């Protein structure tokens, strides 16, 4: 074990830390965090309509649904103003964060990324119209298809936003700018400095958009969705991918690295679009049984992160029941209020679990086993997939209940996973008692 931990500390951890601090990965992570307000408000609207429309309709309460129609319509407007245009918000946020990482004008960078993203959207809408009594296919220029602005557009927004913001930022750093006299107000000077880099970045994207459509007959957004986004999302839905990610999050945490931050580009970049696609499906009146993805970003939090990484709320229960070590019980008492809301740094660094060979097995094993349980329960239809974005600080069971649109079974699976984790943690807490006792006996013997 010591050889393994030494090798990980010397070879693996520094590389993982370097990856976690990589400029563009940090920008992507920060951009997903930045759009949380509109992601949350759109998900709240979808969740409210589950209780005001979907569930009452399934129970035959059409009168109640009719009474709630104004609220249902307002929730639809909220969804339209948030989840439906999420890619636009994300690309603006990404352009801002990439530009800020280069220490150039971030507002201009955000606008350049936004304009570049729009440049790649199809600019014609095709529809049937009746002309002289004959129905004909008509195309008109100047329309934006809403499908490209929601969850479907997140991957294209990520790629286009990165490329355009990098071009803009590199040109800004190369001083290819218009420099005005010092007497000019700073706001005006900044705006003029961004003109040439912004023009070049947007024109490059516009030219590339034209060439892609001319060569393939499809916009770049469709190609990215077909050849990059769809395959990645498909791979993400397998049990192996879910279990592997659950394991890696814990492995990074064991060595003191924030597992979710290190893996944020994967967890947010792949599983967040899956979650938002599920949100969009329900917002459009789709059925739960027809949700496009069975495992989403919220699934990890609902079933594998109760009390925090490693399901450490189960460790706290095991300490209360079995531990004879005073320091463990002190940490458990101090950590319990925060663990209820899935904050477990006091346990991670207070026990500590980081680099503690006693607890590496349950810390890695508990979430992995629970991932298999939750994935299987979702795949066989016992519980619905997660399709509502809810705050990660909701207590165990309650998170799963709201994230699945009010499924009691999902809440029970979450709580069952806490029990499974407790069973995994308990033997090692008891083992820690014996190790402490043996150490004390050895010290007493040495004193004599």
């Amino acid at each position: 074990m010591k050889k393994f931990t030494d090798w990980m500390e010397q070879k693996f951890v520094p590389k993982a830390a370097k990856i976690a601090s990589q400029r563009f990965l940090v920008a992507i992570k920060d951009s997903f965090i930045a759009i949380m307000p509109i992601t949350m408000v759109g998900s709240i609207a979808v969740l409210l309509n589950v209780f005001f429309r979907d569930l009452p309709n399934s129970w035959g309460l059409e009168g109640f649904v009719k009474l709630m129609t104004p609220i249902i319509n307002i929730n639809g407007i909220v969804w339209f103003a948030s989840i439906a245009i999420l890619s636009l918000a994300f690309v603006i946020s990404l352009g801002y964060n990439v530009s800020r990482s280069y220490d150039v004008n971030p507002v201009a960078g955000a606008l350049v990324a936004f304009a570049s993203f729009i440049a790649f959207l199809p600019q014609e809408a095709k529809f049937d119209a009746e002309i002289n009594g004959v129905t004909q296919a008509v195309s008109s220029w100047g329309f934006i298809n809403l499908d490209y602005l929601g969850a479907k557009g997140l991957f294209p927004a990520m790629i286009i936003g990165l490329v355009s913001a990098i071009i803009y930022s590199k040109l800004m750093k190369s001083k290819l700018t218009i420099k005005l006299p010092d007497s000019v107000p700073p706001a005006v000077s900044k705006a003029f400095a961004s003109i040439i880099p912004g023009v070049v970045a947007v024109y490059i994207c516009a030219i590339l958009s034209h060439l892609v459509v001319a060569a393939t007959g499809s916009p770049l957004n469709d190609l990215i969705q077909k050849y990059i986004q769809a395959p990645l999302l498909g791979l993400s839905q397998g049990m192996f991918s879910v279990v592997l990610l659950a394991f890696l999050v814990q492995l990074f945490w064991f060595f003191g690295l924030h597992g979710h931050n290190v893996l944020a580009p994967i967890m947010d970049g792949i599983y967040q679009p899956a979650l938002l696609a599920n949100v969009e499906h329900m917002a459009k009146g789709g059925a739960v049984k027809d949700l496009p993805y069975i495992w989403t970003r919220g699934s990890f939090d609902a079933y594998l992160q109760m009390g925090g990484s490693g399901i450490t709320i189960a460790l706290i229960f095991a300490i209360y029941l079995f531990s004879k070590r005073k320091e463990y019980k002190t940490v458990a008492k101090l950590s319990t209020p925060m663990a209820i809301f899935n904050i477990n740094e006091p346990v991670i660094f207070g026990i500590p679990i980081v680099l503690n060979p006693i607890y590496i097995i349950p810390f890695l094993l508990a979430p992995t086993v629970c991932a298999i349980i939750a994935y299987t329960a979702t795949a066989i239809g016992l519980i619905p997939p997660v399709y509502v974005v809810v705050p990660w600080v909701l207590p165990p069971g309650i998170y799963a209940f709201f994230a699945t649109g009010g499924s009691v079974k999902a809440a029970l699976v979450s709580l069952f996973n806490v029990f499974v984790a407790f069973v995994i943690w308990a033997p090692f807490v008891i083992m820690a008692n014996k190790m402490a006792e043996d150490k004390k006996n050895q010290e007493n013997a040495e004193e004599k």
Side-chain angles (χ1 to χ4, degrees):
M1 173 61 78
K2 188 175 185 306
K3 288 183 178 180
F4 171 74
T5 54
D6 288 345
W7 180 84
M8 291 289 286
E9 284 184 303
Q10 294 172 11
K11 304 293 184 180
F12 180 73
V13 173
K15 291 181 180 179
K18 188 175 181 180
I19 292 172
S21 60
Q22 204 276 334
R23 182 199 304 270
F24 305 130
L25 299 185
V26 171
I28 291 172
K29 179 195 72 176
D30 290 346
S31 298
F32 273 112
I33 294 172
I35 63 171
M36 276 300 293
I38 63 171
T39 304
M40 192 67 67
V41 72
S43 295
I44 290 172
V46 172
L47 180 61
L48 289 175
N49 276 356
V50 168
F51 292 110
F52 291 151
R53 180 191 63 195
D54 301 339
L55 291 178
N57 275 332
S58 67
W59 297 334
L61 302 175
E62 287 82 4
F64 175 80
V65 175
K66 187 175 181 180
L67 182 65
M68 292 293 106
T69 297
I71 298 177
I72 293 170
N73 291 339
I74 290 171
N75 288 331
I77 294 171
V78 171
W79 171 82
F80 185 82
S82 54
I83 302 295
I85 50 90
L86 196 65
S87 294
L88 290 180
F90 177 77
V91 78
I92 291 170
S93 177
L94 183 59
Y96 183 93
N97 283 304
V98 170
S99 303
R100 187 177 63 174
S101 73
Y102 279 99
D103 198 26
V104 297
N105 186 350
V107 175
L111 295 175
V112 167
F114 169 78
S116 300
F117 180 69
I118 296 296
F120 281 97
L121 297 181
Q123 297 175 16
E124 287 188 351
K126 296 182 179 180
F127 53 90
D128 293 333
E130 189 173 312
I131 303 176
N132 297 326
V134 180
T135 301
Q136 300 180 24
V138 177
S139 64
S140 181
W141 184 88
F143 288 86
I144 294 179
N145 189 332
L146 195 63
D147 287 343
Y148 291 97
L149 306 184
K152 181 181 177 182
L154 275 176
F155 261 85
M158 194 182 305
I159 295 172
I160 295 167
L162 273 176
V163 171
S164 59
I166 290 170
I167 293 172
Y168 160 78
S169 300
K170 292 284 189 180
L171 291 174
M172 286 289 289
K173 298 298 284 187
S174 68
K175 304 299 182 183
L176 186 62
T177 60
I178 299 173
K179 187 169 178 60
L180 298 179
D182 294 339
S183 58
V184 176
V188 177
S189 182
K190 280 185 178 181
F192 271 82
S194 302
I195 288 177
I196 294 177
V199 168
V200 173
V202 174
Y203 256 94
I204 288 175
C205 291
I207 293 168
L208 182 59
S209 174
H210 175 76
L211 292 176
V212 169
V213 174
T216 67
S218 298
L220 180 65
N221 308 62
D222 286 346
L223 298 177
I224 292 173
Q225 198 280 330
K226 182 178 180 180
Y227 295 109
I228 299 178
Q229 181 172 348
L232 285 176
L233 286 172
L235 288 172
S236 74
Q237 296 303 295
M239 181 183 287
F240 175 78
S241 301
V242 172
V243 171
L244 178 61
L245 271 177
F247 177 85
L248 289 176
V249 167
Q250 302 309 127
L251 186 62
F252 284 120
W253 264 117
F254 180 77
F255 287 95
L257 298 174
H258 196 299
H260 292 94
N261 286 349
V262 174
L263 297 171
I266 297 174
M267 299 186 74
D268 291 338
I270 296 177
Y271 287 98
Q272 190 75 351
L275 174 57
L276 296 173
N278 281 0
V279 174
E280 190 170 315
H281 171 85
M282 294 301 296
K284 293 179 177 179
V288 173
K289 62 182 179 65
D290 298 324
L291 283 167
Y293 299 104
I294 65 172
W295 196 267
T296 69
R297 179 62 185 87
S299 303
F300 290 96
D301 295 329
Y303 305 113
L304 315 183
Q305 303 294 320
M306 294 77 74
S309 293
I311 317 182
T312 47
I313 196 167
L315 168 61
I316 291 174
F317 292 152
I319 289 173
Y320 279 137
L321 290 176
F322 301 116
S323 182
K324 297 178 181 178
R325 299 179 64 163
K326 185 177 179 181
E327 70 274 22
Y328 279 16
K329 289 191 173 183
T330 300
V331 171
K333 289 176 182 177
L334 293 173
S335 303
T336 299
M338 287 169 280
I340 293 172
F341 300 101
N342 307 318
I343 300 169
N344 72 338
E345 277 81 358
V347 175
I348 294 285
F349 299 104
I351 291 295
I353 293 174
V354 171
L355 295 177
N356 187 336
I358 303 174
Y359 289 134
I360 184 173
I361 293 176
F363 190 64
L364 298 177
L365 186 62
T368 304
V369 172
C370 291
I372 295 171
I373 294 171
Y375 182 93
T376 303
T378 308
I380 65 176
L382 178 63
I383 57 176
V386 169
Y387 64 88
V388 179
V389 180
V390 294
W392 62 270
V393 293
L394 287 182
I398 297 176
Y399 184 106
F401 176 80
F402 284 109
T404 53
S407 171
V408 175
K409 289 182 179 179
L412 293 176
V413 168
S414 178
L415 295 176
F416 177 73
N417 275 357
V418 174
F419 171 74
V420 171
F422 169 79
V423 172
I424 294 173
W425 277 107
F428 293 89
V429 172
I430 296 171
M431 185 191 306
N433 292 338
K434 188 175 186 307
M435 292 180 68
E437 186 177 339
D438 290 345
K439 182 179 179 181
K440 185 177 180 180
N441 292 337
Q442 183 180 353
E443 289 175 351
N444 291 337
E446 290 176 355
E447 289 177 1
K448 294 179 180 179

